[in-house]
Amino acid sequence: MPAPTPFKPALLIVDLQEDFCPPSGALPVPCGRDIIAPINTLLTLPFALKIATKDWHPASHISFATNHPSSPPPFVSTTTIVHPTNAAHSYTSTLWPVHCVQQSAGAEFAAGFDVDKVNTTVYKGMDERVEMYSAFCDPFQWVEGCNAVAVSELSGLLKEKGVTDVYVAGLAMDYCVLATARDAVKFGFRTWVVREGTRAVGGEEGARTAEKEMREAGVTVVAMDGGEVAWVRELKE
Ligand code: VGL
Ligand code: ZN
């Protein structure tokens, strides 16, 4: 199949940070480091824009289990996140170990990730009151009668460049990659997730569930050697 027209693709690398990489990371994604090589390969292709995101939390962040009474066990405990200015809106969210604290070693890009080829870094998760898996905005954005608490510059950067297609990779497939890819569709981009370029916190099972949720949201999971990545490879630089 030929590339769609117009076709102006961007590469979005989500949260490829030390804290999400085993064995040393605070919130390690199984086989998380395996994605560094394919992502470095993607970075050699002529994308119109290459953006990396960083999960970038204050120490007081609501998603850290240690910030809640009696410090419940992370991964299996949840908290209720209430909209800070509209208490009628709330939802349940998972509690995590302390991770990606601003300026900490764990918040650095993963070792070996070729960040020199990245044009811009977008930071997310800075508001201590809300969880922000998506690099575009927090989930209150999509609740009827509600409004987002935190919105990044990401959609503006993509629109400003005339981007039509967003290729998403990074960590974790079942959380921030899933939420970011879904929002890319909602913001009007054709959205592709590169399978070799992502891994799930929930391992193979988490990846299967995430892939299904992506498909239902209009996101297509593609392969490094598939036609959709070939469209980018064949672009004139
Ligand atoms: C993420 C859990 C908590 C992610 C970030 O990048 O997928 N997951 N914060
Ligand atoms: Zn986080």
Side-chain angles (χ1 to χ4, degrees), residues 115-232:
V115 281
D116 288 354
K117 295 202 175 75
V118 168
N119 303 117
T120 317
T121 302
V122 168
Y123 295 84
K124 57 190 265 294
M126 284 101 83
D127 191 313
E128 67 176 21
R129 303 168 300 173
V130 288
E131 181 59 286
M132 190 175 176
Y133 292 146
S134 163
F136 288 90
C137 55
D138 68 76
F140 288 117
Q141 168 86 11
W142 310 112
V143 179
E144 176 126 3
C146 202
N147 59 285
V149 178
V151 181
S152 78
E153 66 275 33
L154 182 54
S155 79
L157 289 170
L158 297 168
K159 299 276 179 194
E160 190 175 273
K161 262 275 175 188
V163 166
T164 58
D165 292 65
V166 177
Y167 288 70
V168 189
L171 300 171
M173 186 181 186
D174 42 356
Y175 288 92
C176 290
V177 170
L178 171 63
T180 299
R182 273 183 175 151
D183 278 0
V185 172
K186 291 181 180 166
F187 278 96
F189 303 99
R190 270 187 300 264
T191 308
W192 316 98
V193 168
V194 184
R195 186 62 190 85
E196 292 90 337
T198 188
R199 291 292 185 279
V201 171
E204 287 302 320
E205 195 191 328
R208 264 192 305 277
T209 308
E211 184 160 347
K212 180 170 174 283
E213 290 177 327
M214 287 176 183
R215 216 175 310 119
E216 287 166 0
V219 174
T220 307
V221 178
V222 301
M224 282 296 280
D225 65 358
E228 300 83 359
V229 174
W231 297 336
V232 184

Side-chain angles (χ1 to χ4, degrees), residues 15 20 27 55 57 96 99 133 171-172 175-176:
D15 301 358
F20 296 120
L27 203 175
D55 209 31
H57 297 310
W96 302 108
H99 65 278
Y133 292 146
L171 300 171
Y175 288 92
C176 290

Side-chain angles (χ1 to χ4, degrees), residues 98-118:
V98 174
H99 65 278
C100 296
V101 173
Q102 294 170 9
Q103 321 294 346
S104 69
E108 307 252 310
F109 284 124
F113 169 26
D114 199 356
V115 281
D116 288 354
K117 295 202 175 75
V118 168

Side-chain angles (χ1 to χ4, degrees), residues 5 36 74 78 81 83 85 89 98 125 163 174 190 204 227:
T5 46
I36 297 171
T78 58
I81 297 185
H83 193 288
T85 60
H89 297 289
V98 174
V163 166
D174 42 356
R190 270 187 300 264
E204 287 302 320

